Amino acid sequence: GIQVEQSPPDLILQEGANSTLRCNFSDSVNNLQWFHQNPWGQLINLFYIPSGTKQNGRLSATTVATERYSLLYISSSQTTDSGVYFCDCYDYGQNFVFGPGTRLSVLP
Amino acid sequence: EAQVTQNPRYLITVTGKKLTVTCSQNMNHEYMSWYRQDPGLGLRQIYYSMNVEVTDKGDVPEGYKVSRKEKRNFPLILESPSPNQTSLYFCASSFLSGTPYEQYFGPGTRLTVT
């Protein structure tokens, strides 16, 4: 099955800084999603992005399917961006596979 | 509104007392699954179902049972809960028959077994 890695495992930022989170996957995928888990445990769907680039406010994501990676960009970070960011991959006929996550702490 | 619902949201129980956590989705999704998440860790899949009457083990199925008698429901059953099953549980669903293969998650169930 697909192997999914995320980097960095932990990231500490000062409020206002920009960051890039990376998700590598071992095989071709039909789906890639980015989730944010807030400090209360809620999983929030950020992007459904099997390929290409999407933007939503201060967040954007790019998936280069041929090179098997996806990037999540957070600009002008805020304390509310703190939490864990997961990528989740799916290959048709297989199963969904989550990465281990990147824990982000944004300091005021 | 498209959603995945779980009940209960919070549960404190005692060792050995059978319990069921319900999961329901209103999007006609074929795929449903259960995950558990322990403090500081990622999501580990317990069981998943590709369609009605089709279920498969995930990474950590021991101590759990599931059933998929209807497309919209996928209950998680703990026949004899133990303290090591204290965790945060998520149910998820998705289409498999066509794009988008996008997972929708329920709000989570916090289970404490004493």
Side-chain angles (χ1 to χ4, degrees), chain B residues 84-95:
Chain B
N84 64 12
Q85 292 178 299
T86 293
S87 192
L88 175 60
Y89 292 86
F90 289 101
C91 179
S93 71
S94 173
F95 280 119

Side-chain angles (χ1 to χ4, degrees), chain B residues 23 36 48 53 55 58 82 85:
Chain B
C23 173
R36 65 175 285 174
Y48 63 99
E53 303 290 359
T55 61
S82 62
Q85 292 178 299

Side-chain angles (χ1 to χ4, degrees), chain A residues 15 27 30 44 69 73 76 92 101-102 108:
Chain A
E15 200 168 26
D27 209 341
N30 296 104
I44 299 162
Y69 72 88
Y73 304 96
S76 304
Y92 185 74
T102 291

Side-chain angles (χ1 to χ4, degrees), chain B residues 19-87:
Chain B
L19 68 91
T20 299
V21 184
T22 64
C23 173
S24 183
Q25 49 92 8
N26 62 0
M27 295 167 279
N28 202 35
H29 285 165
E30 300 96 340
Y31 179 92
M32 297 186 74
S33 68
W34 277 102
Y35 296 87
R36 65 175 285 174
Q37 186 180 32
D38 300 308
L41 299 180
L43 287 95
R44 295 186 291 170
Q45 192 176 54
I46 304 171
Y47 271 96
Y48 63 99
S49 170
M50 297 283 195
N51 215 324
V52 176
E53 303 290 359
V54 179
T55 61
D56 278 296
K57 295 178 180 179
D59 300 316
V60 288
E62 294 76 21
Y64 304 94
K65 283 177 58 176
V66 293
S67 67
R68 188 91 182 273
K69 294 185 172 62
E70 305 166 283
K71 201 170 189 178
R72 64 183 292 124
N73 296 323
F74 191 44
L76 179 69
I77 303 158
L78 285 72
E79 299 240 332
S80 183
S82 62
N84 64 12
Q85 292 178 299
T86 293
S87 192

Side-chain angles (χ1 to χ4, degrees), chain A residues 31 33 37 45 88 94-95, chain B residues 31 37 45 101-103:
Chain A
N31 170 34
Q33 284 178 265
Q37 187 172 37
N45 188 354
D88 175 29
Q94 305 295 318
N95 197 4
Chain B
Y31 179 92
Q37 186 180 32
Q45 192 176 54
Y101 305 110
E102 185 174 1
Q103 282 209 92

Side-chain angles (χ1 to χ4, degrees), chain A residues 6-29:
Chain A
Q6 290 186 245
S7 59
D10 295 279
L11 186 58
I12 301 175
L13 299 174
Q14 207 67 40
E15 200 168 26
N18 302 328
S19 61
T20 301
L21 282 59
R22 186 177 180 103
C23 173
N24 292 331
F25 41 97
S26 60
D27 209 341
S28 61
V29 297

